[in-house]
Amino acid sequence: MINIEQARREYTLAKNALNAIAHSDDATAAQRDDARAARDELTLDYINTMALEGDALTQQYQDFITKMTAVVDQLSSGNTVASGLLAVQGVVDRANKLLG
Amino acid sequence: MMKPNEGGISHGGTAVRVRWQRVCVLMWSALLMACTSVPVKEFASYREAVDKARAAAEVVLTDYSAALAEQRVLMAARKPEQPKRPGAFDPMTAGGDGANLDYVAVRYQAWAIIGKYNDALASLAEGRSAADVGGAVDGLVNSLSQSPLAEAKEFATALAPFLGPLKVLLAEADKEASRQRFLAGLKTGLPLIKDDLIALLRKDSQLMAEVRFGLNDLQYERSLDRVNDAKRRFDVLSSNYASTEEVRQMQAEIAAALAKLPRDSTGKAAPVRSPAKSGNQEAVTAAVLAELESQRTQTLNEIAGAMRINDTLVAYYGVLGAYVKLLNKMAGSTGQLLQAAETGQKFVLPSDELLKAVIALRQSYMTYADKK
Protein backbone atom coordinates (compact mmCIF):
# COMPACT_ATOMS: atom_id res chain seq x y z
CA MET A 1 0.00 0.00 0.00
CA ILE A 2 1.21 3.50 -0.79
CA ASN A 3 2.23 5.85 2.00
CA ILE A 4 -0.85 8.03 2.25
CA GLU A 5 0.73 10.83 4.29
CA GLN A 6 3.52 11.18 1.75
CA ALA A 7 1.09 11.04 -1.18
CA ARG A 8 -0.99 13.78 0.42
CA ARG A 9 2.07 15.98 1.02
CA GLU A 10 3.24 15.59 -2.59
CA TYR A 11 -0.25 16.33 -3.89
CA THR A 12 -0.55 19.47 -1.72
CA LEU A 13 2.85 20.80 -2.79
CA ALA A 14 2.08 20.23 -6.49
CA LYS A 15 -1.36 21.82 -6.08
CA ASN A 16 0.05 24.86 -4.30
CA ALA A 17 2.55 25.36 -7.13
CA LEU A 18 -0.27 25.37 -9.67
CA ASN A 19 -2.42 27.64 -7.50
CA ALA A 20 0.42 30.16 -7.37
CA ILE A 21 -0.18 30.62 -11.13
CA ALA A 22 -3.97 30.07 -10.99
CA HIS A 23 -4.43 33.03 -8.62
CA SER A 24 -1.57 35.24 -9.79
CA ASP A 25 -2.23 38.76 -11.06
CA ASP A 26 1.01 38.49 -13.03
CA ALA A 27 -0.37 35.57 -15.06
CA THR A 28 -2.63 36.14 -18.03
CA ALA A 29 -6.24 34.89 -17.91
CA ALA A 30 -5.28 32.03 -20.24
CA GLN A 31 -2.35 31.02 -18.01
CA ARG A 32 -4.60 31.11 -14.97
CA ASP A 33 -7.17 28.91 -16.75
CA ASP A 34 -4.47 26.43 -17.82
CA ALA A 35 -3.11 26.25 -14.25
CA ARG A 36 -6.63 25.64 -12.88
CA ALA A 37 -7.25 22.88 -15.42
CA ALA A 38 -3.90 21.24 -14.58
CA ARG A 39 -4.73 21.50 -10.86
CA ASP A 40 -8.11 19.77 -11.45
CA GLU A 41 -6.35 16.98 -13.37
CA LEU A 42 -3.89 16.59 -10.50
CA THR A 43 -6.81 16.22 -8.07
CA LEU A 44 -8.56 13.67 -10.32
CA ASP A 45 -5.33 11.65 -10.46
CA TYR A 46 -5.13 11.73 -6.68
CA ILE A 47 -8.75 10.54 -6.31
CA ASN A 48 -8.15 7.78 -8.83
CA THR A 49 -4.96 6.59 -7.12
CA MET A 50 -6.70 6.31 -3.76
CA ALA A 51 -9.74 4.55 -5.26
CA LEU A 52 -7.45 2.00 -6.94
CA GLU A 53 -5.72 1.34 -3.61
CA GLY A 54 -9.17 0.52 -2.21
CA ASP A 55 -9.81 -1.86 -5.12
CA ALA A 56 -6.57 -3.66 -4.31
CA LEU A 57 -7.85 -4.33 -0.78
CA THR A 58 -10.98 -6.01 -2.20
CA GLN A 59 -8.97 -9.13 -3.09
CA GLN A 60 -7.72 -9.31 0.51
CA TYR A 61 -11.32 -9.16 1.72
CA GLN A 62 -12.11 -12.05 -0.60
CA ASP A 63 -9.24 -14.05 0.89
CA PHE A 64 -10.61 -13.36 4.37
CA ILE A 65 -14.09 -14.54 3.29
CA THR A 66 -12.62 -17.78 1.94
CA LYS A 67 -10.80 -18.52 5.21
CA MET A 68 -13.82 -17.67 7.40
CA THR A 69 -16.16 -19.75 5.23
CA ALA A 70 -13.92 -22.76 5.89
CA VAL A 71 -14.11 -22.08 9.64
CA VAL A 72 -17.93 -21.78 9.54
CA ASP A 73 -18.20 -25.01 7.53
CA GLN A 74 -16.07 -26.79 10.11
CA LEU A 75 -18.20 -25.45 12.99
CA SER A 76 -21.43 -26.50 11.31
CA SER A 77 -20.40 -29.99 10.32
CA GLY A 78 -18.89 -31.53 13.48
CA ASN A 79 -20.39 -34.63 15.13
CA THR A 80 -22.33 -34.41 18.35
CA VAL A 81 -23.52 -37.12 20.72
CA ALA A 82 -27.05 -36.78 19.34
CA SER A 83 -25.88 -37.03 15.72
CA GLY A 84 -23.78 -40.07 16.69
CA LEU A 85 -26.81 -41.77 18.26
CA LEU A 86 -28.90 -41.03 15.19
CA ALA A 87 -26.18 -42.50 12.97
CA VAL A 88 -26.11 -45.71 15.06
CA GLN A 89 -29.91 -45.86 14.94
CA GLY A 90 -29.68 -45.63 11.16
CA VAL A 91 -27.31 -48.61 11.11
CA VAL A 92 -29.59 -50.64 13.42
CA ASP A 93 -32.66 -49.80 11.30
CA ARG A 94 -30.92 -50.92 8.12
CA ALA A 95 -29.77 -54.13 9.85
CA ASN A 96 -33.34 -54.74 11.10
CA LYS A 97 -34.64 -54.48 7.51
CA LEU A 98 -32.00 -56.86 6.22
CA LEU A 99 -32.55 -59.45 8.95
CA GLY A 100 -36.33 -59.01 9.35
CA MET B 1 -30.65 -62.07 46.57
CA MET B 2 -32.42 -61.50 43.29
CA LYS B 3 -35.34 -63.82 42.39
CA PRO B 4 -35.28 -65.49 38.95
CA ASN B 5 -37.13 -63.62 36.18
CA GLU B 6 -37.46 -60.49 38.32
CA GLY B 7 -38.92 -57.84 36.02
CA GLY B 8 -38.57 -60.36 33.17
CA ILE B 9 -34.72 -59.97 33.21
CA SER B 10 -32.51 -63.04 33.29
CA HIS B 11 -29.56 -63.59 35.62
CA GLY B 12 -27.28 -62.41 32.77
CA GLY B 13 -29.33 -59.18 32.78
CA THR B 14 -28.22 -58.48 36.36
CA ALA B 15 -24.62 -58.43 35.20
CA VAL B 16 -25.61 -56.07 32.38
CA ARG B 17 -27.41 -53.80 34.88
CA VAL B 18 -24.39 -53.67 37.19
CA ARG B 19 -22.14 -52.94 34.23
CA TRP B 20 -24.39 -50.05 33.18
CA GLN B 21 -24.42 -48.69 36.72
CA ARG B 22 -20.62 -48.61 36.67
CA VAL B 23 -20.58 -47.06 33.21
CA CYS B 24 -22.97 -44.29 34.37
CA VAL B 25 -20.84 -43.55 37.45
CA LEU B 26 -17.68 -43.43 35.35
CA MET B 27 -19.24 -41.18 32.70
CA TRP B 28 -20.64 -38.81 35.30
CA SER B 29 -17.25 -38.57 37.04
CA ALA B 30 -15.50 -37.94 33.70
CA LEU B 31 -18.02 -35.23 32.80
CA LEU B 32 -17.62 -33.50 36.16
CA MET B 33 -13.84 -33.44 35.72
CA ALA B 34 -13.94 -32.28 32.09
CA CYS B 35 -16.72 -29.69 32.35
CA THR B 36 -15.69 -26.77 30.13
CA SER B 37 -16.62 -23.23 30.97
CA VAL B 38 -17.86 -21.00 28.14
CA PRO B 39 -16.99 -17.25 28.31
CA VAL B 40 -20.65 -16.25 28.10
CA LYS B 41 -20.38 -12.56 29.02
CA GLU B 42 -17.35 -12.00 26.81
CA PHE B 43 -19.14 -13.70 23.90
CA ALA B 44 -22.25 -11.57 24.38
CA SER B 45 -20.14 -8.40 24.56
CA TYR B 46 -18.22 -9.38 21.42
CA ARG B 47 -21.45 -10.11 19.49
CA GLU B 48 -22.94 -6.77 20.46
CA ALA B 49 -19.77 -4.93 19.38
CA VAL B 50 -19.73 -6.77 16.05
CA ASP B 51 -23.41 -6.03 15.40
CA LYS B 52 -22.92 -2.31 16.12
CA ALA B 53 -19.75 -2.10 14.03
CA ARG B 54 -21.50 -3.89 11.17
CA ALA B 55 -24.43 -1.45 11.23
CA ALA B 56 -21.95 1.46 11.19
CA ALA B 57 -19.98 -0.14 8.35
CA GLU B 58 -23.13 -0.40 6.24
CA VAL B 59 -23.81 3.32 6.69
CA VAL B 60 -20.22 4.20 5.79
CA LEU B 61 -20.21 1.83 2.79
CA THR B 62 -23.48 3.21 1.44
CA ASP B 63 -22.07 6.73 1.59
CA TYR B 64 -18.78 5.63 0.04
CA SER B 65 -20.50 3.87 -2.86
CA ALA B 66 -21.96 7.29 -3.72
CA ALA B 67 -18.41 8.71 -3.63
CA LEU B 68 -17.25 5.96 -6.00
CA ALA B 69 -20.14 6.71 -8.35
CA GLU B 70 -19.10 10.37 -8.34
CA GLN B 71 -15.49 9.35 -9.05
CA ARG B 72 -16.55 7.18 -12.01
CA VAL B 73 -18.53 10.05 -13.55
CA LEU B 74 -15.54 12.38 -13.22
CA MET B 75 -13.16 9.81 -14.70
CA ALA B 76 -15.51 9.18 -17.62
CA ALA B 77 -15.58 12.91 -18.38
CA ARG B 78 -11.80 13.20 -18.53
CA LYS B 79 -9.97 13.55 -21.78
CA PRO B 80 -8.60 10.20 -22.95
CA GLU B 81 -5.13 9.59 -21.57
CA GLN B 82 -2.06 9.50 -23.74
CA PRO B 83 -1.11 5.79 -23.97
CA LYS B 84 1.77 4.89 -21.68
CA ARG B 85 4.48 2.22 -21.73
CA PRO B 86 3.68 -0.49 -19.14
CA GLY B 87 5.32 -0.06 -15.74
CA ALA B 88 6.80 -2.75 -13.48
CA PHE B 89 4.95 -6.09 -13.70
CA ASP B 90 3.30 -7.12 -10.42
CA PRO B 91 2.32 -10.82 -10.46
CA MET B 92 0.05 -10.35 -7.41
CA THR B 93 -2.06 -7.73 -9.17
CA ALA B 94 -1.94 -9.40 -12.58
CA GLY B 95 -2.87 -12.83 -11.15
CA GLY B 96 -5.60 -11.61 -8.80
CA ASP B 97 -9.23 -11.08 -9.55
CA GLY B 98 -9.38 -7.75 -7.70
CA ALA B 99 -10.45 -5.67 -10.67
CA ASN B 100 -13.53 -7.83 -11.29
CA LEU B 101 -14.75 -7.95 -7.70
CA ASP B 102 -17.43 -5.50 -6.65
CA TYR B 103 -15.95 -3.19 -4.01
CA VAL B 104 -19.06 -2.77 -1.88
CA ALA B 105 -20.55 -6.26 -2.38
CA VAL B 106 -17.39 -8.04 -1.20
CA ARG B 107 -17.23 -5.93 1.94
CA TYR B 108 -20.89 -6.70 2.72
CA GLN B 109 -20.07 -10.40 2.22
CA ALA B 110 -17.22 -10.14 4.72
CA TRP B 111 -19.62 -8.85 7.37
CA ALA B 112 -22.19 -11.52 6.41
CA ILE B 113 -19.70 -14.37 6.93
CA ILE B 114 -18.86 -13.02 10.40
CA GLY B 115 -22.60 -13.06 11.12
CA LYS B 116 -22.78 -16.73 10.09
CA TYR B 117 -19.69 -17.50 12.18
CA ASN B 118 -21.25 -15.87 15.25
CA ASP B 119 -24.55 -17.72 14.70
CA ALA B 120 -22.69 -21.05 14.45
CA LEU B 121 -20.79 -20.24 17.66
CA ALA B 122 -24.01 -19.26 19.47
CA SER B 123 -25.58 -22.55 18.46
CA LEU B 124 -22.58 -24.46 19.83
CA ALA B 125 -22.49 -22.41 23.04
CA GLU B 126 -26.13 -23.29 23.66
CA GLY B 127 -25.70 -26.95 22.67
CA ARG B 128 -28.47 -29.33 21.79
CA SER B 129 -31.55 -29.42 24.00
CA ALA B 130 -31.95 -32.31 26.43
CA ALA B 131 -35.16 -33.21 24.55
CA ASP B 132 -33.19 -33.61 21.29
CA VAL B 133 -30.64 -35.92 22.89
CA GLY B 134 -33.35 -37.80 24.81
CA GLY B 135 -35.24 -38.25 21.56
CA ALA B 136 -32.15 -39.70 19.89
CA VAL B 137 -31.64 -42.14 22.78
CA ASP B 138 -35.30 -43.20 22.63
CA GLY B 139 -35.04 -43.69 18.89
CA LEU B 140 -31.98 -45.95 19.21
CA VAL B 141 -33.46 -48.02 22.06
CA ASN B 142 -36.68 -48.39 20.08
CA SER B 143 -34.80 -49.61 17.01
CA LEU B 144 -32.84 -52.09 19.14
CA SER B 145 -36.02 -53.42 20.75
CA GLN B 146 -37.48 -54.09 17.28
CA SER B 147 -34.42 -56.04 16.14
CA PRO B 148 -34.93 -59.72 15.18
CA LEU B 149 -31.71 -60.46 17.11
CA ALA B 150 -32.37 -61.63 20.69
CA GLU B 151 -29.12 -60.03 21.95
CA ALA B 152 -30.18 -56.64 20.62
CA LYS B 153 -33.60 -56.93 22.28
CA GLU B 154 -31.99 -58.01 25.56
CA PHE B 155 -29.61 -55.08 25.40
CA ALA B 156 -32.53 -52.69 24.90
CA THR B 157 -34.37 -54.28 27.84
CA ALA B 158 -31.28 -54.06 30.09
CA LEU B 159 -30.93 -50.39 29.22
CA ALA B 160 -34.54 -49.58 30.12
CA PRO B 161 -34.03 -48.92 33.90
CA PHE B 162 -31.10 -46.64 33.14
CA LEU B 163 -32.64 -44.57 30.38
CA GLY B 164 -33.41 -41.61 32.64
CA PRO B 165 -29.88 -41.07 34.01
CA LEU B 166 -28.35 -42.14 30.68
CA LYS B 167 -30.25 -39.40 28.83
CA VAL B 168 -29.08 -36.82 31.39
CA LEU B 169 -25.48 -38.03 31.03
CA LEU B 170 -25.56 -38.05 27.24
CA ALA B 171 -27.22 -34.62 27.11
CA GLU B 172 -24.44 -33.28 29.32
CA ALA B 173 -21.79 -35.04 27.20
CA ASP B 174 -23.34 -33.49 24.09
CA LYS B 175 -23.23 -30.03 25.66
CA GLU B 176 -19.63 -30.58 26.72
CA ALA B 177 -18.68 -31.63 23.18
CA SER B 178 -20.41 -28.48 21.87
CA ARG B 179 -18.59 -26.30 24.38
CA GLN B 180 -15.25 -27.80 23.32
CA ARG B 181 -16.05 -27.12 19.67
CA PHE B 182 -17.19 -23.60 20.58
CA LEU B 183 -13.83 -22.85 22.20
CA ALA B 184 -11.94 -24.41 19.27
CA GLY B 185 -14.05 -22.30 16.90
CA LEU B 186 -13.17 -19.13 18.82
CA LYS B 187 -9.45 -19.92 18.62
CA THR B 188 -9.67 -20.53 14.85
CA GLY B 189 -11.91 -17.69 13.76
CA LEU B 190 -11.25 -14.80 16.14
CA PRO B 191 -7.59 -14.28 15.09
CA LEU B 192 -8.77 -13.91 11.49
CA ILE B 193 -11.23 -11.22 12.55
CA LYS B 194 -8.83 -9.46 14.91
CA ASP B 195 -5.71 -9.58 12.75
CA ASP B 196 -7.05 -9.68 9.16
CA LEU B 197 -10.48 -8.09 8.94
CA ILE B 198 -10.11 -5.21 11.39
CA ALA B 199 -6.80 -4.22 9.78
CA LEU B 200 -8.54 -4.16 6.37
CA LEU B 201 -11.42 -2.11 7.73
CA ARG B 202 -9.01 0.46 9.18
CA LYS B 203 -7.08 0.73 5.89
CA ASP B 204 -10.37 1.10 4.07
CA SER B 205 -11.38 4.01 6.31
CA GLN B 206 -8.12 5.78 5.49
CA LEU B 207 -8.60 5.36 1.74
CA MET B 208 -12.26 6.37 1.93
CA ALA B 209 -11.14 9.56 3.69
CA GLU B 210 -8.66 10.31 0.89
CA VAL B 211 -11.17 9.72 -1.93
CA ARG B 212 -13.74 11.93 -0.17
CA PHE B 213 -11.00 14.52 0.45
CA GLY B 214 -10.10 14.50 -3.25
CA LEU B 215 -13.72 14.94 -4.36
CA ASN B 216 -14.19 17.70 -1.79
CA ASP B 217 -10.90 19.37 -2.75
CA LEU B 218 -11.97 19.53 -6.39
CA GLN B 219 -15.05 21.53 -5.36
CA TYR B 220 -13.17 23.52 -2.73
CA GLU B 221 -10.39 24.70 -5.04
CA ARG B 222 -12.93 25.66 -7.72
CA SER B 223 -14.83 27.63 -5.10
CA LEU B 224 -11.58 29.42 -4.16
CA ASP B 225 -11.19 30.22 -7.86
CA ARG B 226 -14.60 31.89 -7.70
CA VAL B 227 -13.57 33.71 -4.51
CA ASN B 228 -10.49 35.03 -6.26
CA ASP B 229 -12.38 36.00 -9.40
CA ALA B 230 -15.04 37.86 -7.37
CA LYS B 231 -12.38 39.58 -5.28
CA ARG B 232 -10.43 40.51 -8.41
CA ARG B 233 -13.52 42.19 -9.83
CA PHE B 234 -14.02 44.09 -6.56
CA ASP B 235 -10.34 45.08 -6.40
CA VAL B 236 -10.16 46.19 -10.03
CA LEU B 237 -13.27 48.32 -9.62
CA SER B 238 -12.23 49.84 -6.26
CA SER B 239 -8.71 50.62 -7.51
CA ASN B 240 -10.19 52.93 -10.14
CA TYR B 241 -11.52 55.31 -7.43
CA ALA B 242 -10.32 57.16 -4.37
CA SER B 243 -10.45 55.18 -1.19
CA THR B 244 -13.44 56.16 0.95
CA GLU B 245 -14.59 55.01 4.37
CA GLU B 246 -17.33 52.86 2.79
CA VAL B 247 -14.86 51.18 0.43
CA ARG B 248 -12.38 50.61 3.24
CA GLN B 249 -15.21 49.09 5.31
CA MET B 250 -16.05 46.71 2.48
CA GLN B 251 -12.39 45.76 2.06
CA ALA B 252 -12.16 45.05 5.81
CA GLU B 253 -15.26 42.82 5.67
CA ILE B 254 -13.79 40.84 2.81
CA ALA B 255 -10.40 40.56 4.57
CA ALA B 256 -12.06 39.35 7.80
CA ALA B 257 -14.04 36.70 5.91
CA LEU B 258 -10.93 35.58 4.00
CA ALA B 259 -8.99 35.20 7.25
CA LYS B 260 -11.47 32.54 8.32
CA LEU B 261 -10.76 30.33 5.31
CA PRO B 262 -9.03 27.14 6.49
CA ARG B 263 -5.32 26.65 5.92
CA ASP B 264 -4.30 23.58 3.94
CA SER B 265 -2.88 20.47 5.60
CA THR B 266 0.66 21.93 5.39
CA GLY B 267 -0.46 25.06 7.24
CA LYS B 268 -0.44 27.30 4.15
CA ALA B 269 -3.12 30.00 4.00
CA ALA B 270 -5.81 29.78 1.32
CA PRO B 271 -4.51 31.12 -2.03
CA VAL B 272 -6.26 34.51 -2.30
CA ARG B 273 -4.99 37.50 -4.23
CA SER B 274 -3.69 40.50 -2.30
CA PRO B 275 -5.88 43.60 -1.98
CA ALA B 276 -5.59 46.17 -4.76
CA LYS B 277 -4.01 49.52 -4.01
CA SER B 278 -5.99 52.54 -4.99
CA GLY B 279 -3.87 55.00 -6.96
CA ASN B 280 -6.80 56.97 -8.30
CA GLN B 281 -8.42 60.12 -6.87
CA GLU B 282 -11.65 59.87 -8.85
CA ALA B 283 -14.62 60.17 -6.47
CA VAL B 284 -16.83 57.18 -5.85
CA THR B 285 -20.33 57.75 -7.21
CA ALA B 286 -23.51 56.17 -5.83
CA ALA B 287 -23.65 53.85 -8.84
CA VAL B 288 -20.05 52.75 -8.34
CA LEU B 289 -20.70 52.25 -4.64
CA ALA B 290 -23.73 50.09 -5.43
CA GLU B 291 -21.64 48.05 -7.84
CA LEU B 292 -18.87 47.67 -5.23
CA GLU B 293 -21.46 46.53 -2.67
CA SER B 294 -22.71 43.95 -5.16
CA GLN B 295 -19.17 42.70 -5.77
CA ARG B 296 -18.50 42.60 -2.03
CA THR B 297 -21.67 40.54 -1.43
CA GLN B 298 -20.71 38.14 -4.21
CA THR B 299 -17.22 37.77 -2.76
CA LEU B 300 -18.58 37.12 0.72
CA ASN B 301 -21.08 34.59 -0.68
CA GLU B 302 -18.30 32.73 -2.49
CA ILE B 303 -16.21 32.68 0.71
CA ALA B 304 -19.21 31.30 2.64
CA GLY B 305 -19.62 28.67 -0.08
CA ALA B 306 -15.97 27.62 0.29
CA MET B 307 -16.40 27.38 4.08
CA ARG B 308 -19.49 25.15 3.65
CA ILE B 309 -17.57 22.81 1.35
CA ASN B 310 -14.79 22.56 3.94
CA ASP B 311 -17.33 21.96 6.73
CA THR B 312 -18.74 18.99 4.76
CA LEU B 313 -15.32 17.36 4.67
CA VAL B 314 -14.72 18.03 8.37
CA ALA B 315 -18.12 16.46 9.16
CA TYR B 316 -17.26 13.40 7.04
CA TYR B 317 -13.99 12.95 8.91
CA GLY B 318 -16.07 13.07 12.10
CA VAL B 319 -18.18 10.15 10.82
CA LEU B 320 -15.08 8.11 9.94
CA GLY B 321 -13.51 8.91 13.30
CA ALA B 322 -16.60 7.65 15.14
CA TYR B 323 -16.66 4.56 12.89
CA VAL B 324 -13.03 3.73 13.64
CA LYS B 325 -13.76 4.10 17.38
CA LEU B 326 -16.47 1.45 16.98
CA LEU B 327 -14.00 -0.77 15.12
CA ASN B 328 -11.61 -0.33 18.06
CA LYS B 329 -14.38 -1.45 20.46
CA MET B 330 -14.93 -4.49 18.24
CA ALA B 331 -11.19 -5.20 18.22
CA GLY B 332 -11.06 -4.88 22.01
CA SER B 333 -13.95 -7.25 22.70
CA THR B 334 -12.66 -9.72 20.09
CA GLY B 335 -9.28 -9.73 21.84
CA GLN B 336 -10.90 -10.19 25.24
CA LEU B 337 -13.04 -13.09 24.02
CA LEU B 338 -10.01 -14.78 22.47
CA GLN B 339 -8.04 -14.34 25.67
CA ALA B 340 -10.96 -15.69 27.71
CA ALA B 341 -11.09 -18.74 25.42
CA GLU B 342 -7.34 -19.34 25.61
CA THR B 343 -6.67 -18.65 29.29
CA GLY B 344 -10.06 -18.72 31.00
CA GLN B 345 -9.45 -15.14 32.15
CA LYS B 346 -12.61 -13.20 32.97
CA PHE B 347 -13.07 -9.55 32.03
CA VAL B 348 -15.02 -6.70 33.55
CA LEU B 349 -16.83 -5.28 30.56
CA PRO B 350 -18.07 -1.64 30.78
CA SER B 351 -21.52 -1.73 29.24
CA ASP B 352 -21.99 1.94 28.38
CA GLU B 353 -18.83 2.56 26.33
CA LEU B 354 -20.20 0.79 23.28
CA LEU B 355 -23.46 2.71 23.57
CA LYS B 356 -21.55 6.02 23.73
CA ALA B 357 -19.61 5.08 20.59
CA VAL B 358 -22.85 4.25 18.74
CA ILE B 359 -24.45 7.54 19.80
CA ALA B 360 -21.32 9.46 18.74
CA LEU B 361 -21.48 7.86 15.29
CA ARG B 362 -25.17 8.68 14.88
CA GLN B 363 -24.61 12.28 15.92
CA SER B 364 -21.64 12.73 13.61
CA TYR B 365 -23.57 11.20 10.71
CA MET B 366 -26.51 13.54 11.32
CA THR B 367 -24.10 16.50 11.23
CA TYR B 368 -22.56 15.22 7.99
CA ALA B 369 -25.94 14.53 6.35
CA ASP B 370 -27.01 18.04 7.27
CA LYS B 371 -23.99 19.59 5.60
CA LYS B 372 -23.60 17.54 2.41
Side-chain angles (χ1 to χ4, degrees):
Chain A
M1 187 162 138
I2 60 169
N3 183 318
I4 289 178
E5 287 82 10
Q6 186 179 341
R8 179 75 91 92
R9 267 197 304 277
E10 287 169 3
Y11 162 74
T12 304
L13 287 172
K15 185 182 68 167
N16 289 346
L18 289 168
N19 271 339
I21 304 168
H23 302 300
S24 169
D25 286 332
D26 297 331
T28 64
Q31 285 170 335
R32 285 200 293 269
D33 286 345
D34 285 346
R36 289 175 184 185
R39 182 201 61 209
D40 285 356
E41 287 297 307
L42 177 76
T43 306
L44 290 173
D45 281 343
Y46 186 78
I47 295 166
N48 205 35
T49 299
M50 294 300 157
L52 286 174
E53 284 290 315
D55 285 344
L57 288 187
T58 304
Q59 182 61 52
Q60 295 183 46
Y61 275 98
Q62 190 59 56
D63 295 341
F64 165 79
I65 292 166
T66 303
K67 288 181 206 169
M68 280 304 290
T69 303
V71 172
V72 172
D73 287 346
Q74 197 179 28
L75 287 177
S76 309
S77 65
N79 289 328
T80 61
V81 169
S83 65
L85 289 170
L86 288 169
V88 171
Q89 182 189 344
V91 170
V92 170
D93 287 342
R94 282 194 294 277
N96 288 352
K97 274 189 187 153
L98 279 171
L99 298 170
Chain B
M1 186 176 159
M2 200 194 73
K3 291 175 186 170
N5 294 322
E6 182 173 340
I9 302 169
S10 68
H11 181 69
T14 305
V16 170
R17 195 163 52 228
V18 169
R19 259 204 304 279
W20 272 106
Q21 279 173 343
R22 286 178 188 159
V23 165
C24 285
V25 168
L26 279 170
M27 279 179 71
W28 194 244
S29 308
L31 272 173
L32 282 174
M33 284 164 58
C35 206
T36 305
S37 147
V38 164
V40 173
K41 285 183 185 168
E42 289 82 359
F43 182 56
S45 173
Y46 151 79
R47 282 203 86 172
E48 197 186 358
V50 168
D51 289 345
K52 296 288 186 272
R54 180 177 181 177
E58 286 171 2
V59 168
V60 167
L61 274 173
T62 302
D63 178 86
Y64 188 66
S65 69
L68 288 179
E70 214 177 311
Q71 180 242 347
R72 281 192 289 271
V73 167
L74 287 169
M75 293 306 151
R78 286 179 99 171
K79 289 178 198 159
E81 269 189 32
Q82 182 84 9
K84 286 186 210 168
R85 299 269 299 150
F89 181 75
D90 177 7
M92 295 302 289
T93 309
D97 206 26
N100 295 327
L101 296 171
D102 183 278
Y103 180 100
V104 172
V106 169
R107 280 149 177 85
Y108 272 117
Q109 282 165 22
W111 283 105
I113 195 65
I114 296 181
K116 285 184 186 170
Y117 169 70
N118 289 345
D119 289 344
L121 286 174
S123 181
L124 286 173
E126 207 177 298
R128 289 257 197 157
S129 69
D132 279 350
V133 178
V137 171
D138 286 339
L140 176 59
V141 169
N142 193 45
S143 294
L144 285 169
S145 67
Q146 286 172 15
S147 171
L149 296 173
E151 290 86 352
K153 279 188 174 147
E154 195 177 300
F155 182 62
T157 308
L159 271 180
F162 300 99
L163 274 184
L166 189 63
K167 283 178 188 178
V168 170
L169 276 170
L170 288 174
E172 203 41 52
D174 191 276
K175 281 196 187 306
E176 175 61 20
S178 280
R179 285 191 287 262
Q180 296 275 356
R181 285 174 57 219
F182 170 83
L183 289 178
L186 288 181
K187 291 171 193 173
T188 316
L190 289 182
L192 290 175
I193 293 170
K194 193 166 80 65
D195 299 333
D196 292 5
L197 180 71
I198 291 179
L200 284 173
L201 292 168
R202 285 189 180 127
K203 277 185 206 171
D204 253 356
S205 69
Q206 210 175 3
L207 292 167
M208 285 176 182
E210 290 309 299
V211 169
R212 269 282 179 215
F213 161 77
L215 291 169
N216 185 275
D217 212 35
L218 197 63
Q219 290 180 35
Y220 182 70
E221 291 295 334
R222 287 172 177 172
S223 78
L224 287 186
D225 291 344
R226 292 192 294 275
V227 166
N228 273 286
D229 291 345
K231 188 170 183 299
R232 179 174 293 106
R233 287 191 291 273
F234 177 89
D235 287 348
V236 164
L237 185 58
S238 65
S239 68
N240 288 333
Y241 300 92
S243 180
T244 64
E245 185 53 39
E246 292 102 332
V247 174
R248 282 194 293 276
Q249 178 65 29
M250 284 189 245
Q251 285 170 338
E253 281 173 6
I254 292 173
L258 286 171
K260 291 180 186 167
L261 281 172
R263 292 177 175 268
D264 69 21
S265 52
T266 67
K268 194 175 180 327
V272 180
R273 65 192 303 277
S274 305
K277 289 190 175 54
S278 172
N280 249 317
Q281 294 307 309
E282 192 175 338
V284 175
T285 63
V288 168
L289 201 59
E291 179 58 25
L292 279 170
E293 279 169 354
S294 170
Q295 298 287 356
R296 177 218 45 201
T297 302
Q298 195 175 7
T299 306
L300 292 177
N301 286 345
E302 294 295 352
I303 293 170
M307 298 284 286
R308 277 194 299 275
I309 293 170
N310 185 66
D311 287 347
T312 304
L313 183 66
V314 169
Y316 181 69
Y317 273 38
V319 171
L320 283 187
Y323 168 60
V324 170
K325 281 186 181 148
L326 266 174
L327 290 182
N328 290 345
K329 295 285 173 222
M330 180 176 150
S333 54
T334 304
Q336 284 177 348
L337 179 59
L338 183 59
Q339 206 169 342
E342 286 173 342
T343 65
Q345 186 178 350
K346 296 292 177 197
F347 290 90
V348 174
L349 306 162
S351 57
D352 59 345
E353 283 190 15
L354 184 64
L355 183 61
K356 281 181 194 167
V358 170
I359 290 170
L361 177 73
R362 281 194 197 138
Q363 285 173 339
S364 60
Y365 190 78
M366 279 166 56
T367 304
Y368 170 60
D370 197 43
K371 291 189 186 299
K372 68 172 181 177

